[in-house]
Amino acid sequence: TINYYMLPAATQKHNVVTKPVPSLLIEHIELSDYLTQPGLVLQTSPNKMHISKSNLWAERLDRALPKALQNSLHQRSDQYSYHLNHPAHTRQPDLRVRLRVDSLHPTTDGLVIASGRYQLTMAKAQNKPIIKYFYFERTLDDDGYEASVKEMDILIDLIAQDILHTVQTHFTVSD
């Protein structure tokens, strides 16, 4: 039997912002090579990863993760409009974020881990980019890939929360 999993936040729909607000462009999300595999990953020891052949992503993680992050950002704050980097997006964004995900997986120790870094850049200012490293973990209450994917979704929300906190701390966007 093959099981397929989706990040819950990647499937949520959100309302379009109609008032003029600054824009934040999710410019690029880079994943560690092992996260680009179709199978879900389980860390079985400090330096060993198992990639499942029967528990697969329904949508590639490099496509689902940007949508999940965009939806989490939108759910957390309506102070910005959030956009993915694709040809239809032609407006110059006020802020840009680039994300590098080094880990997003469960462990046999009953944890789910997300780590990496992101870079925030303000489009119109001479500010240097802000680079911030993150590491989040959650304890699994249940065994299995389904419980792990639910926790990964919460970790993505924590990354969104961290990005918004960094934006609010370091940037002021005005018309």
Side-chain angles (χ1 to χ4, degrees):
T1 302
I2 296 179
N3 301 302
Y4 293 94
Y5 298 90
M6 294 181 69
L7 290 169
T11 62
Q12 294 174 355
K13 298 292 182 201
H14 53 79
N15 297 327
V16 176
V17 178
T18 56
K19 63 181 179 175
V21 294
S23 62
L24 188 150
L25 176 67
I26 300 168
E27 188 173 49
H28 181 70
I29 295 183
E30 180 183 356
L31 301 175
S32 289
D33 286 343
Y34 73 91
L35 293 174
T36 63
Q37 306 301 316
L40 274 74
V41 176
L42 174 66
Q43 185 173 1
T44 57
S45 73
N47 57 358
K48 187 176 178 187
M49 303 299 222
H50 168 76
I51 299 172
S52 178
K53 291 182 179 3
S54 60
N55 294 284
L56 308 175
W57 289 110
E59 180 177 27
R60 291 183 1 203
L61 198 54
D62 62 340
R63 292 189 181 173
L65 186 57
K67 291 188 273 186
L69 181 64
Q70 179 187 31
N71 285 327
S72 289
L73 288 165
H74 179 78
Q75 295 296 323
R76 290 208 156 268
S77 173
D78 63 358
Q79 299 299 307
Y80 296 87
S81 61
Y82 305 99
H83 306 277
L84 299 177
N85 198 14
H86 54 74
H89 182 77
T90 56
R91 183 175 163 227
Q92 176 71 6
D94 297 294
L95 292 165
R96 297 174 185 269
V97 64
R98 296 177 68 88
L99 182 69
R100 162 73 189 185
V101 179
D102 296 320
S103 60
L104 182 64
H105 57 75
T107 70
T108 53
D109 295 332
L111 297 174
V112 178
I113 297 169
S115 69
R117 66 186 176 276
Y118 58 86
Q119 175 182 307
L120 282 164
T121 308
M122 190 166 189
K124 297 178 184 175
Q126 298 301 320
N127 300 29
K128 289 185 177 179
I130 302 289
I131 298 173
K132 183 133 189 291
Y133 288 82
F134 62 86
Y135 177 89
F136 298 109
E137 65 180 43
R138 303 253 320 158
T139 302
L140 281 167
D141 294 329
D142 295 313
D143 289 336
Y145 285 107
E146 186 171 356
S148 297
V149 170
K150 288 177 185 174
E151 293 299 325
M152 286 182 216
D153 201 52
I154 293 169
L155 291 173
I156 293 166
D157 190 56
L158 291 173
I159 296 167
Q161 181 180 347
D162 197 62
I163 290 170
L164 287 171
H165 175 76
T166 303
V167 166
Q168 293 163 353
T169 303
H170 294 283
F171 296 101
T172 304
V173 179
S174 59
D175 291 338

